[in-house]
Amino acid sequence: MANPKTLPGANGKRYLFGRLFIWTLLLAAAVLYLGPIYVVLSTSLKDLAEIRAGALLDLPHELNFTAWREAWSSACIGVRCEGLRPYFLNSVIMSVPSVAISTLIGALSGYALSLFRFRGANIIFALMLFGCFIPFQIVILPMAQTLGYLGIANSITGLIVVHTIYGISFTTLFFRNYYVSVPQELVRAATMDGAGFFRIFWHIMLPLSVPIIVVSVIWQFTQVWNEFLFGASFTSGGSQPVTVALNNLINSTTSVKQYNVDMAAALIAAAPTLVVYIIAGRFFVRGLTAGAVKG
Amino acid sequence: MATISIEHASKSFGATEVLKDISLDVKDGEFLVLLGASGCGKSTLLNIIAGLEPIAEGTIRLDGEVVNDVHPKNRDIAMVFQSYALYPNMTVERNIAFGLEMRRISKAERKATVREVASMLQIEHLLARKPAQLSGGQRQRVAMGRALVRRPKIFLFDEPLSNLDAKLRGEMRTEIKKLHQSLKATMVYVTHDQIEAMTLADRIAIMKDGVIQQIGTPQEIYSKPANMYVAGFVGAPPMNFVEVDLVKQEDQFGVILPAVLKGEPKNYFLPLPDSKQLETRENTKIILGLRPEMITHNAFTQSTNPEIECDVDLLEPTGADTLCLIRLAGHPAKARVSPLFACDPGESMTFSVDMGRVCLFDGETEELIRL
């Protein structure tokens, strides 16, 4: 064995400079990303007097959660002064079904497109992929008309429908690409055993799909929760999602700009996606890189 | 009772014809092996019997009943796959029981049947494991168990041993044969391994390019191959083919075999058994098929066999026999002799040629000339 310390390039000036360069770069990137979060977090914990005194980058003198309480339950959005809470609940009621339904439909269609290759499966898949590239703005008008026609305009149900439809392209893509690596013989064996389309899906494919289900859930939850345009266009008043409410809260401050409440509200609105990612994130990376099913 | 009868079956994938007008009958309790190189259509034929591929033209009957449009699960057939295709998320027990579960057999009965099959295959201790925790040989047994548990009329095997190492393959081969003897079920077995085919089959069907070249017992296939493809495919080392002239000397038909003795070309006249078939072919080119064991040392063979003396270029000892590399009609050929009689490489040696068992092929059509 060669001693790693004596190999060319293992030590000396060039090595040191290389390391220094890398560390500096990483440090700069970290500051760039974490700086704004630090400012938002520390501002949300200050009172207004402290904020007015300037010193944006200072730590708060004491941990003061008044702004958080206000943002959650008493800040005024338009004429209602109930804080973000009702809108946060709206977002939960909107996200959970749209994530669940779009993931389930994506799994089913991905399974049909990859393991039950029927005539024209590739064309259908290509058309579904196309859906991933349609910008939100294009569909707003026809979508509004459709929702009106169906009688679910200005409702959370309407948003659930919109997000489910919009998400199917992505979830189908995920599941189809995952199932392509599942051996065809598995389906054949199950067919010989007497299982049909849905029983193979339920007993064999879904249990194999945990990694890609996690990917689909994280992706869809982030998309649906953070979405603003559909929420702003298709709902008003009490049925708005939290993203729209956050915008209104910040814009409807009457006299003094309450930066601490705004910051706390922003953090509250962003928290769920962070929590989902922290809980399931390692599956996310694993699900994106893995795919092969080891038998 | 379970017979399979296929009449004029054809199948294409896009522009490629995979099966061309296949007709085949499998008797009740017969072990039929479909043998051929990869891409010859043997697996497609198996899938058609299973019902996993629809048949494009022709009819397929099980027990005399047309099943062209019968779903696989209603054909009472079980299949063992090359990759075993075990369900990765289920335990061995549930893997084996899955077919019964799908047929709504009660839990207690399922459990009892699985135990029985597991003890037969000696995998009882594995029942609680997942497929990922099994070795290749154990997975193979589980796949067999999954087929056995339903007690189907017909078993289909799609190259079930090709993922195993050589030793295990030999053991499993014996077990499959024992299984066939005890179950007396109809089995169709696809392989590209001619040893597997020879050892297992009651009858072998050799396929090439979607056409069955020959169906017969292993012995028929080996000693009377229908054409040069079959002759070359079965047997290891393969049959030697020598292009020779058919001549008549002193009222005796025979062939002129060009060999090499001490570096000089030397022709031998080898008499053939009398046959009317040869009359029309006098002075034409035919192909002489000689299996290596038909060219052997002359110590114990009958003295009536003609002898040739020729140079031995190389020796390949295999233990039981030694293969001598000689040159016939300018091409390398192999002779199989006892290691006791093998000469040194580079020397010359006398071989006796078993003319009673040689095969003659038409030089044009490559078909066997039946004597």
Side-chain angles (χ1 to χ4, degrees):
Chain A
M1 266 295 279
N3 182 353
K5 290 206 165 121
T6 60
L7 287 173
N11 48 22
K13 266 186 198 157
R14 292 184 59 169
Y15 176 78
L16 190 67
F17 278 121
R19 287 282 122 170
L20 272 178
F21 178 72
I22 290 171
W23 288 332
T24 315
L25 206 65
L26 286 174
L27 200 69
V31 169
L32 199 67
Y33 274 88
L34 292 176
I37 294 176
Y38 164 73
V39 171
V40 170
L41 197 62
S42 71
T43 307
S44 76
L45 295 170
K46 293 171 184 174
D47 62 23
L48 274 179
E50 200 183 332
I51 295 171
R52 262 187 241 108
L56 190 66
L57 294 176
D58 283 2
L59 277 169
H61 295 314
E62 53 176 340
L63 292 183
N64 185 340
F65 287 97
T66 327
W68 283 74
R69 230 167 288 141
E70 197 175 324
W72 177 245
S73 56
S74 66
C76 292
I77 296 166
V79 288
R80 291 172 72 188
C81 290
E82 297 168 339
L84 278 181
R85 186 169 52 189
Y87 305 98
F88 190 92
L89 285 178
N90 282 350
S91 274
V92 172
I93 295 168
M94 168 188 79
S95 308
V96 172
S98 13
V99 170
I101 298 170
S102 60
T103 297
L104 190 69
I105 295 178
L108 256 177
S109 49
Y111 161 68
L113 286 170
S114 54
L115 293 167
F116 279 80
R117 312 216 106 221
F118 46 91
R119 197 177 279 269
N122 278 336
I123 294 171
I124 289 179
F125 179 58
L127 289 175
M128 291 195 84
L129 260 190
F130 196 63
C132 299
F133 302 102
I134 296 176
F136 283 10
Q137 290 82 348
I138 290 180
V139 298
I140 283 186
L141 200 58
M143 192 66 91
Q145 286 177 318
T146 311
L147 291 179
Y149 180 75
L150 294 173
I152 47 176
N154 193 19
S155 72
I156 296 172
T157 318
L159 281 185
I160 293 174
V161 171
V162 172
H163 285 302
T164 303
I165 294 172
Y166 221 92
I168 287 174
S169 288
F170 292 94
T171 54
T172 303
L173 169 72
F174 295 149
F175 280 95
R176 187 259 181 198
N177 286 354
Y178 184 78
Y179 289 143
V180 156
S181 63
V182 172
Q184 191 87 32
E185 283 197 344
L186 220 49
V187 173
R188 296 184 161 216
T191 308
M192 296 302 292
D193 269 344
F197 181 86
F198 285 104
R199 288 212 277 188
I200 296 176
F201 178 67
W202 184 254
H203 288 291
I204 295 162
M205 290 308 148
L206 268 192
L208 291 180
S209 316
V210 176
I212 202 69
I213 290 174
V214 172
V215 169
S216 174
V217 165
I218 292 184
W219 174 270
Q220 274 302 94
F221 186 79
T222 313
Q223 294 293 310
V224 175
W225 186 274
N226 289 342
E227 200 284 322
F228 178 80
L229 188 61
F230 286 158
S233 311
F234 301 143
T235 57
S236 61
S239 48
Q240 285 172 334
V242 72
T243 43
V244 179
L246 175 67
N247 174 65
N248 296 348
L249 181 143
I250 289 162
N251 287 334
S252 64
T253 313
T254 44
S255 52
V256 197
K257 194 90 182 138
Q258 286 185 294
Y259 289 107
N260 51 355
V261 176
D262 293 353
M263 300 293 181
L267 286 171
I268 290 172
T273 49
L274 270 177
V275 169
V276 167
Y277 185 77
I278 288 165
I279 292 173
R282 58 202 183 95
F283 293 102
F284 188 70
V285 178
R286 215 183 284 167
L288 284 181
T289 50
V293 180
K294 276 211 81 180
Chain B
M1 275 293 285
T3 61
I4 306 169
S5 166
I6 298 167
E7 287 157 22
H8 307 294
S10 298
K11 174 88 188 168
S12 315
F13 291 125
T16 34
E17 261 192 284
V18 190
L19 296 177
K20 297 168 195 161
D21 196 27
I22 299 266
S23 291
L24 180 71
D25 278 297
V26 187
K27 298 185 205 82
D28 179 46
E30 187 174 31
F31 199 121
L32 179 84
V33 172
L34 300 174
L35 177 65
S38 56
C40 71
K42 56 193 192 300
S43 287
T44 308
L45 184 57
L46 198 73
N47 285 337
I48 281 178
I49 298 174
L52 293 168
E53 298 275 2
I55 185 167
E57 273 172 57
T59 50
I60 166 162
R61 290 171 216 268
L62 301 180
D63 282 341
E65 198 178 320
V66 177
V67 292
N68 282 21
D69 300 316
V70 175
H71 191 271
K73 70 173 184 224
N74 299 326
R75 291 191 183 191
D76 202 8
I77 288 178
M79 188 160 172
V80 177
F81 294 87
Q82 182 175 6
S83 67
Y84 317 138
L86 302 179
Y87 313 126
N89 54 308
M90 300 181 194
T91 61
V92 167
E93 176 158 18
R94 186 137 184 256
N95 256 288
I96 297 177
F98 190 70
L100 302 176
E101 196 183 321
M102 291 298 109
R103 285 171 169 76
R104 303 186 196 290
I105 309 262
S106 76
K107 204 165 186 178
E109 196 178 333
R110 270 180 357 224
K111 207 165 179 91
T113 325
V114 170
R115 295 275 150 191
E116 198 181 316
V117 168
S119 80
M120 189 160 111
L121 293 167
Q122 294 153 12
I123 50 172
E124 287 155 302
H125 58 295
L126 305 174
L127 285 178
R129 293 203 204 163
K130 292 272 178 75
Q133 298 164 297
L134 304 178
S135 70
Q138 291 169 333
R139 284 180 204 180
Q140 224 287 322
R141 279 169 195 273
V142 176
M144 300 270 292
R146 199 168 58 179
L148 284 170
V149 77
R150 286 198 278 119
R151 313 210 168 285
K153 287 192 294 195
I154 296 166
F155 287 88
L156 307 178
F157 297 89
D158 191 359
E159 310 216 15
L161 305 183
S162 58
N163 286 346
L164 299 178
D165 62 60
K167 185 167 173 284
L168 213 50
R169 203 180 304 158
E171 289 171 14
M172 287 309 292
R173 205 168 67 202
T174 316
E175 286 203 30
I176 292 177
K177 186 142 195 173
K178 273 188 200 154
L179 207 64
H180 177 244
Q181 274 176 1
S182 65
L183 294 173
K184 297 186 172 50
T186 308
M187 295 186 177
V188 181
Y189 186 107
V190 161
T191 183
H192 62 263
D193 181 337
Q194 45 122 350
I195 305 275
E196 256 171 48
M198 296 293 284
T199 50
L200 287 170
D202 291 327
R203 279 195 308 158
I204 299 176
I206 296 203
M207 293 181 66
K208 185 197 175 199
D209 300 333
V211 177
I212 293 181
Q213 305 289 315
Q214 185 176 9
I215 305 181
T217 63
Q219 197 50 49
E220 279 167 17
I221 299 262
Y222 190 77
S223 54
K224 291 273 172 257
N227 55 40
M228 281 176 65
Y229 178 79
V230 174
F233 197 87
V234 175
M239 185 182 263
N240 303 304
F241 295 115
V242 193
E243 197 176 298
V244 290
D245 291 315
L246 183 67
V247 294
K248 203 172 192 177
Q249 285 187 5
E250 299 156 11
D251 266 4
Q252 174 74 48
F253 275 108
V255 292
I256 302 291
L257 183 69
V260 179
L261 181 60
K262 299 195 169 50
E264 299 293 320
K266 185 165 165 72
N267 288 347
Y268 291 95
F269 174 77
L270 304 179
L272 283 167
D274 289 327
S275 171
K276 285 206 163 54
Q277 277 294 316
L278 298 173
E279 304 272 338
T280 54
R281 294 177 191 263
E282 196 180 336
N283 296 322
T284 63
K285 290 262 184 221
I286 59 169
I287 290 159
L288 180 69
L290 287 165
R291 294 211 180 269
E293 66 267 24
M294 296 174 191
I295 316 170
T296 188
H297 53 88
N298 63 350
F300 302 118
T301 48
Q302 294 166 345
S303 55
T304 52
N305 281 344
E307 290 176 354
I308 58 171
E309 191 184 2
C310 61
D311 293 350
V312 174
D313 297 334
L314 251 160
L315 291 181
E316 291 177 355
T318 65
D321 302 305
T322 295
L323 298 169
C324 300
L325 209 71
I326 56 178
R327 263 168 293 157
L328 297 177
H331 295 290
K334 280 178 181 170
R336 192 195 288 268
V337 302
S338 159
L340 296 174
F341 297 94
C343 65
D344 289 329
E347 292 182 358
S348 61
M349 177 175 167
T350 306
F351 299 95
S352 87
V353 183
D354 190 351
M355 292 306 284
R357 287 159 64 202
V358 296
C359 300
L360 297 179
F361 299 97
D362 188 302
E364 295 282 317
T365 64
E366 304 195 343
E367 298 287 323
L368 182 75
I369 301 167
R370 296 195 181 269
L371 299 176

